[in-house]
Amino acid sequence: MATTNAPRYSRHAALLGAAAAVLLLGGCGGAAQHRTASAGERSAGPSAGTGTGAAKVPEATTFTTVRGAPEDAAPAAGADGEGGTDGTVVHPTGPAPVFDRPGGRRIATLPATQLGGPTWVPVVETSGEWRRVLLPSRPNRASGWLAGTGLRTARTPYTVRVEVAKRQLTLLKSGRRAGRWTVAVGGAKTPTPAGRTFIMASVLPGKKTPSPLVLPLGTHSATLDTFGGGPGTVALHGWPDASVFGKAVTHGCVRVPADALKALSRVPLGSPVLITA
């Protein structure tokens, strides 16, 4: 298992079309829809993970549901600021089987890329050569086990903490505060979901959108199956109207000021994000 000491994967951003960016920004502006399945979602049935072939399990992406995925055992870990991990993140060099326990039942395949960029996920538990990681799929707090082979490993010094009640985002580097900002969060009917997640991707919209950069997280709206035609992915992003900061007005995303977005753009993919109520 290769180890990368300096995580230089941090600033990779996929240049996506305006339509894709709008799907991701739909959680904070634009039409929200209650549906029985997210747009583009592919779910695995109860017996779908019993085989070993990749065709019998879903890919673990923001568009899918991974049934049978063990729930994160410590979603509030790191409430003191560290994100409950030692900063280890891993990147599969190819499609990686995901299991419900070390050597157990295969439940998904973790692809090498997410939204046009490399897949990096945080390690929340280790057992021998096995790594338990957070997944970008529904249900929220889904996790899974990866074998140690075929993984690149790095460490991120960053943790992002979002305190919904205070409407505040804090960026920590090596346990020390690197910045704190007042932000906008989800409204009462479409709250920003609490729990431990991570920065899944870094998206540079191909055309003008409300934010020059979108940072999708590995979590989804808990009350909306889709917004704007997208999968209900929650993201960190900017917003042109500063009057929203300090308010609960979004469909679940976290809108941040321009200087916060600039600081967050330097945070490596896979870095833990702890959202507390």
Side-chain angles (χ1 to χ4, degrees):
M1 180 169 57
T3 299
T4 304
N5 293 320
R8 298 187 182 276
Y9 54 86
S10 58
R11 302 182 191 182
H12 186 285
L15 185 62
L16 297 185
V22 168
L23 292 183
L24 294 170
L25 283 172
C28 290
Q33 298 177 347
H34 294 270
R35 294 179 56 176
T36 56
S38 300
E41 183 177 278
R42 299 176 300 280
S43 300
S47 62
T50 57
T52 58
K56 298 192 177 187
V57 294
E59 281 194 323
T61 74
T62 192
F63 295 96
T64 62
T65 293
V66 178
R67 296 179 182 173
E71 184 175 344
D72 181 12
D80 56 355
E82 287 301 314
T85 78
D86 65 359
T88 300
V89 292
V90 294
H91 163 61
T93 56
V98 182
F99 299 86
D100 62 351
R101 62 187 185 280
R105 180 172 63 96
R106 184 172 179 176
I107 55 174
T109 299
L110 186 66
T113 62
Q114 301 275 341
L115 295 175
T119 297
W120 285 93
V121 289
V123 175
V124 296
E125 186 178 352
T126 300
S127 178
E129 291 297 316
W130 290 85
R131 305 288 182 263
R132 184 173 182 174
V133 301
L134 299 183
L135 300 176
S137 313
R138 289 182 187 265
N140 287 346
R141 304 179 184 176
S143 71
W145 290 88
L146 303 176
T149 57
L151 299 177
R152 285 184 58 203
T153 302
R155 291 200 179 219
T156 172
Y158 289 97
T159 297
V160 179
R161 184 169 60 183
V162 178
E163 297 171 274
V164 173
K166 294 182 178 180
R167 294 157 196 178
Q168 192 171 77
L169 181 148
T170 303
L171 178 62
L172 298 157
K173 184 178 182 181
S174 300
R176 297 183 178 182
R177 191 171 79 184
R180 176 172 287 170
W181 299 270
T182 299
V183 298
V185 298
K189 294 183 178 180
T190 54
T192 301
R196 185 167 56 171
T197 183
F198 61 99
I199 296 180
M200 175 185 64
S202 179
V203 176
L204 291 173
K207 295 183 180 179
K208 186 176 180 180
T209 64
S211 179
L213 177 69
V214 182
L215 300 173
L217 305 180
T219 192
H220 299 76
S221 170
T223 57
L224 300 171
D225 287 327
T226 180
F227 19 65
T233 306
V234 171
L236 308 176
H237 61 76
W239 200 255
D241 181 4
S243 68
V244 303
F245 301 130
K247 299 178 181 178
V249 293
T250 80
H251 286 149
C253 288
V254 179
R255 302 177 188 172
V256 307
D259 54 341
L261 189 64
K262 182 177 180 180
L264 290 167
S265 72
R266 297 189 288 268
V267 175
L269 301 182
S271 294
V273 177
L274 181 66
I275 302 172
T276 60

